[in-house]
């Protein structure tokens, strides 16, 4: 069996959710493991997510966003409510990086096929390559994003 991918090049979130649902036979529930370093973002700060020299996406911080330094030292943004749902926030966030233990989950499948780009939930272009994971933070599949394959293996079990 191989994954199904719709026609066209740039996909929006509605199309990505449809693709995700078409691949439900491959989707599994994964638990976050380990920890990350995180700090409060500065409004309008540009954060480039880059792993092994490949730019995954670029995002602009909004009020109450958090910058996370992930398992592959990649930087990415998440809003504070999602951060609190996915990490143990025993200490208050500040402008300095601090360590936070992961507690969340995701629903994901390994993408097999030719790479393409899509519009991430935050409205910016995001790439996906063969072997990466397409993920959603909840079983309702309200949004879809990419997790680079090595970062996924370090972060989820």
């Amino acid at each position: 069996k191989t994954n199904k991918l719709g026609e066209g090049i740039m996909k929006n979130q509605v199309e990505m959710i449809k693709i995700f649902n078409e691949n439900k036979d491959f989707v599994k529930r994964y638990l976050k493991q380990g920890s990350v370093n995180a700090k409060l973002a500065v409004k309008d700060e540009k954060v480039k997510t880059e792993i092994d020299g490949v730019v995954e996406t670029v995002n602009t911080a909004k009020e109450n966003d958090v910058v996370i330094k992930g398992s592959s030292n990649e930087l990415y943004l998440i809003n504070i409510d999602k951060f609190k749902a996915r990490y143990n926030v025993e200490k208050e966030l500040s402008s300095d990086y601090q360590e936070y233990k992961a507690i969340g989950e995701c629903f994901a499948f390994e993408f097999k096929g030719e790479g393409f780009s899509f519009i991430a939930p935050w409205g910016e272009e995001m790439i996906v390559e063969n072997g990466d994971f397409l993920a959603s933070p909840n079983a309702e599949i309200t949004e879809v994003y990419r997790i680079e394959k090595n970062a996924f293996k370090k972060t989820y079990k």
Side-chain angles (χ1 to χ4, degrees):
K1 274 185 162 179
T2 59
N3 305 137
K4 300 172 193 158
L5 178 63
E7 297 298 318
I9 303 211
M10 183 69 72
K11 310 275 183 231
N12 63 34
Q13 278 292 294
V14 171
E15 293 167 315
M16 291 304 296
I17 290 168
K18 182 175 186 261
I19 289 167
F20 200 94
N21 286 323
E22 288 171 351
N23 286 282
K24 65 184 173 198
D25 291 346
F26 301 101
V27 175
K28 295 179 187 168
R29 179 178 173 253
Y30 294 90
L31 298 176
K32 272 187 167 283
Q33 60 183 1
S35 60
V36 296
N37 288 306
K39 69 176 185 169
L40 287 172
V42 176
K43 188 176 186 284
D44 297 325
E45 172 182 4
K46 292 269 189 213
V47 175
K48 178 170 52 171
T49 304
E50 186 174 346
I51 299 176
D52 296 331
V54 177
V55 176
E56 179 177 304
T57 190
V58 177
N59 200 350
T60 303
K62 297 174 200 63
E63 195 79 34
N64 295 318
D65 275 352
V66 176
V67 180
I68 295 178
K69 188 182 295 185
S71 61
S72 296
N73 285 320
E74 76 279 14
L75 300 177
Y76 59 96
L77 289 171
I78 187 171
N79 76 42
I80 198 161
D81 293 331
K82 287 181 181 179
F83 181 76
K84 288 178 178 178
R86 298 176 189 173
Y87 297 91
N88 187 349
V89 186
E90 292 178 343
K91 53 190 163 261
E92 192 170 333
L93 283 157
S94 72
S95 59
D96 295 319
Y97 281 108
Q98 300 179 82
E99 188 173 355
Y100 295 90
K101 184 174 177 358
I103 58 171
E105 66 181 10
C106 79
F107 294 82
F109 70 93
E110 185 177 357
F111 172 74
K112 296 187 186 302
E114 189 175 331
F116 66 99
S117 296
F118 65 98
I119 303 300
W122 49 90
E124 296 292 336
E125 183 178 347
M126 179 172 240
I127 64 165
V128 63
E129 297 175 336
N130 186 50
D132 290 341
F133 284 76
L134 289 174
S136 183
N138 52 54
E140 293 78 33
I141 318 302
T142 56
E143 62 183 59
V144 176
Y145 49 90
R146 172 241 196 184
I147 303 174
E148 190 270 342
K149 60 186 160 209
N150 293 319
F152 187 88
K153 291 172 184 169
K154 292 177 189 174
T155 309
Y156 291 93
K157 60 179 178 171

